[in-house]
Amino acid sequence: MTKRAVEGFSKLSKKQKIDWLAKTYFAEPDKAIALFTKYWNDDKKLQQLHDEFIENTITNYYLPLGIAPNFLINDRLYTIPMAIEESSVVAAAGKAAKFWLGKGGFHTSVVGTEKVGQVHFIYEGDPKTLAAYFESVKPQLYKDTEEITANMTKRGGGISSIELRDMTDKLPGYYQLHCTFETLDAMGANFINSCLEQCASSFESYAQQYPAFTESEKNIRVVISILSNYVPNCRVKASVSCAVEELNEDGMPAEEFVEKFIRATDIARIEPYRAVTHNKGIMNGIDAVVLATGNDFRAVEAGVHAYAAKDGRYTSLTKAWVNEGVFNFEIEIPLALGTVGGLTKLHPLVKLSLEMLGHPSAEELMQITAVAGLAQNFAAIRSLITTGIQQGHMKMHLLNILNQLRATEAEKAYFVEYFKDKTVTHRSVIETFQQLREKA
Ligand code: MEV
């Protein structure tokens, strides 16, 4: 069937949208409609809340929310909420938490909380006149944004700096107003973007009256005004340490374990192919917490990976070393997170996640999230250098297949035991399952 573009789609009701979709794309429209609507929440108010997060909502897309208890961070115990679809991640976090619990736990600190936004503009005149104009207009830029910044300033935040940057050696006529912000417990995207748009419009319009500009120099043209998700100075550190001999894990002598562990992080430091996967494992932990706490995981992902490449080559976000018989493992990453505003007030499960964490400040959440990343990386490297990761994954894979087959709890227990020393494949599970059911 040739499909035709649809007109006025956003004006249709939810039900009409689903009908159109089902008829246009699905072999069995009634079945599709039934499934889409099955995922609606019976609580109409709750459903409406979710419907209104985005546009053209047709249903809900569930992700599991798991918890990883026993995280000792700066001597305080946390249970960390994790929203993620990948099996083994939460189990790995819980295992790493337990392991470090008996060894002093995790230690963290916030290195900085500076957010960034830029007004990118074109100016094709004398750079010195532009610099003089900028200095003369700068106080006015702060003044013009006062209405937006008043509340934030009262609480100790606001615009921290506005700087003119000449980028013409890279792109003819290209300059920036490079602005930094303190947004306290808010992620601050709306705040920053509103400030930038106001600065941009003031900067463009005052130029019209600046006497030292020639007629053509008055023509400052703003291209875009937007926050940056690259926040290298909004950074957090998390670390663990213990005596080398305490790491005699998984049947491997401590010395060998530590040697291999450090080698694995060194490989990720120098080899981008490995670094990307190494960091992906870290992001398994970080994204799960970011999502559970209603933060923007795309922003965090973009910023973290840019930071991993800040020296011109993509590298590992963690490092491990031994000093005087003590094993150290550390992560340092940029994380722009919020615990007020945005989804944090709206999504009921986000509210519970934040309550579970004891209503953290943004700085505290940065530390908890970095710990989740470090723990995940520890767990992944530990598995990789000892048993390999398939052992854990295969058990989950086996359970997923058994769930699809609607196996009973007793059958599941039997299969876990049966496949302990055998390779799990989809086919072998199905065959064994059929044999078992035939016998019964
Ligand atoms: C899988 O989601 C993550 C790992 O590949 C991470 C790693 O290799 O370090 C296990």
Side-chain angles (χ1 to χ4, degrees):
M1 184 179 62
T2 348
K3 294 178 178 68
R4 276 191 288 132
V6 57
E7 298 261 343
F9 186 71
S10 62
K11 310 254 163 10
L12 300 182
S13 71
K14 185 160 125 185
K15 173 100 191 30
Q16 288 168 325
K17 282 174 188 157
I18 295 179
D19 283 348
W20 172 84
L21 183 72
K23 283 190 198 108
T24 313
Y25 289 99
F26 293 91
E28 295 181 276
D30 291 343
K31 276 198 179 160
I33 293 170
L35 199 58
F36 284 133
T37 47
K38 191 173 172 176
Y39 277 82
W40 290 0
N41 200 296
D42 289 341
D43 178 338
K44 288 215 167 57
K45 265 195 155 165
L46 189 68
Q47 186 53 54
Q48 191 184 348
L49 178 80
H50 287 269
D51 285 352
E52 289 173 2
F53 285 159
I54 61 164
E55 307 75 32
N56 292 343
T57 311
I58 53 167
T59 192
N60 306 306
Y61 183 100
Y62 293 169
L63 276 186
L65 177 67
I67 52 163
N70 297 322
F71 269 99
L72 187 65
I73 306 174
N74 300 338
D75 296 325
R76 186 171 158 191
L77 262 183
Y78 291 89
T79 290
I80 301 187
M82 302 176 85
I84 187 160
E85 87 300 344
E86 185 174 330
S87 59
S88 305
V89 169
V90 177
K95 211 171 153 197
K98 196 87 187 283
F99 178 84
W100 288 106
L101 179 66
K103 296 175 178 63
F106 294 80
H107 297 281
T108 60
S109 59
V110 169
V111 183
T113 55
E114 179 187 281
K115 312 272 168 61
V116 176
Q118 298 168 318
V119 176
H120 305 267
F121 66 94
I122 298 171
Y123 165 82
E124 268 146 350
D126 183 344
K128 283 203 199 86
T129 324
L130 179 69
Y133 166 63
F134 170 70
E135 285 308 328
S136 75
V137 86
K138 192 156 105 173
Q140 199 57 41
L141 299 182
Y142 282 104
K143 218 167 181 10
D144 290 358
T145 49
E146 263 169 15
E147 218 170 283
I148 309 164
T149 58
N151 259 338
M152 195 66 95
T153 313
K154 231 191 277 161
R155 288 178 283 129
I159 305 178
S160 320
S161 69
I162 308 177
E163 193 188 305
L164 173 69
R165 289 194 175 171
D166 183 339
M167 308 293 286
T168 52
D169 58 330
K170 297 189 180 71
L171 204 61
Y174 170 38
Y175 293 83
Q176 302 170 347
L177 297 181
H178 182 93
C179 309
T180 61
F181 300 84
E182 173 52 61
T183 60
L184 307 168
D185 284 336
M187 194 271 181
N190 279 329
F191 170 77
I192 295 174
N193 289 332
S194 300
C195 289
L196 291 171
E197 288 187 6
Q198 180 57 58
C199 280
S201 126
S202 297
F203 195 67
E204 253 179 357
S205 68
Y206 294 130
Q208 298 300 319
Q209 293 129 40
Y210 189 61
F213 274 154
T214 63
E215 266 322 294
S216 74
E217 283 174 332
K218 285 180 183 166
N219 189 23
I220 284 175
R221 279 167 293 145
V222 170
V223 183
I224 44 175
S225 311
I226 187 77
L227 65 73
S228 172
N229 291 122
Y230 184 47
V231 281
N233 296 325
C234 184
R235 221 163 65 236
V236 57
K237 256 190 204 180
S239 62
V240 282
S241 62
C242 70
V244 167
E245 59 268 23
E246 288 183 79
L247 284 154
N248 55 349
E249 273 297 289
D250 296 309
M252 191 184 270
E255 238 83 298
E256 187 187 342
F257 179 89
V258 169
E259 203 260 313
K260 270 191 156 182
F261 196 101
I262 293 177
R263 194 43 77 99
T265 55
D266 284 348
I267 291 169
R269 180 166 51 80
I270 58 119
E271 162 58 274
Y273 277 95
R274 174 56 202 150
V276 170
T277 317
H278 177 98
N279 291 347
K280 187 273 181 187
I282 293 171
M283 299 315 286
N284 278 345
I286 290 180
D287 282 344
V289 182
V290 170
L291 207 52
T293 57
N295 277 280
D296 181 344
F297 64 92
R298 288 84 56 207
V300 167
E301 282 277 346
V304 167
H305 293 297
Y307 184 75
K310 70 179 188 319
D311 297 324
R313 192 173 46 83
Y314 191 92
T315 185
S316 160
L317 294 162
T318 53
K319 55 183 184 209
W321 70 98
V322 168
N323 187 18
E324 295 181 354
V326 175
F327 168 79
N328 298 277
F329 186 42
E330 183 182 281
I331 188 168
E332 187 163 342
I333 42 165
L335 280 179
L337 302 178
T339 54
V340 298
L343 218 56
T344 59
K345 254 204 224 95
L346 295 174
H347 198 303
L349 290 176
V350 167
K351 282 200 243 172
L352 287 185
S353 293
L354 289 170
E355 189 174 345
M356 190 188 309
L357 293 172
H359 300 292
S361 65
E363 288 196 26
E364 201 181 345
L365 184 59
M366 285 166 75
Q367 299 173 71
I368 296 165
T369 310
V371 163
L374 186 71
Q376 210 60 47
N377 192 219
F378 178 79
I381 298 177
R382 176 164 70 176
S383 294
L384 288 165
I385 63 173
T386 55
T387 57
I389 58 151
Q390 283 311 85
Q391 198 182 69
H393 278 199
M394 278 306 145
K395 188 169 166 205
M396 294 303 284
H397 183 49
L398 172 64
L399 290 173
N400 282 342
I401 301 171
L402 290 169
N403 279 336
Q404 279 164 21
L405 294 169
R406 299 189 193 288
T408 63
E409 288 309 309
E411 283 168 339
K412 283 184 200 168
Y414 169 84
F415 271 81
V416 169
E417 194 52 41
Y418 178 84
F419 276 100
K420 235 179 188 159
D421 52 0
K422 297 179 188 63
T423 308
V424 177
T425 65
H426 199 260
R427 194 160 151 197
S428 65
V429 178
I430 292 185
E431 277 173 8
T432 320
F433 186 77
Q434 278 164 354
Q435 285 161 13
L436 189 74
R437 282 269 165 113
E438 275 160 23
K439 265 198 240 154

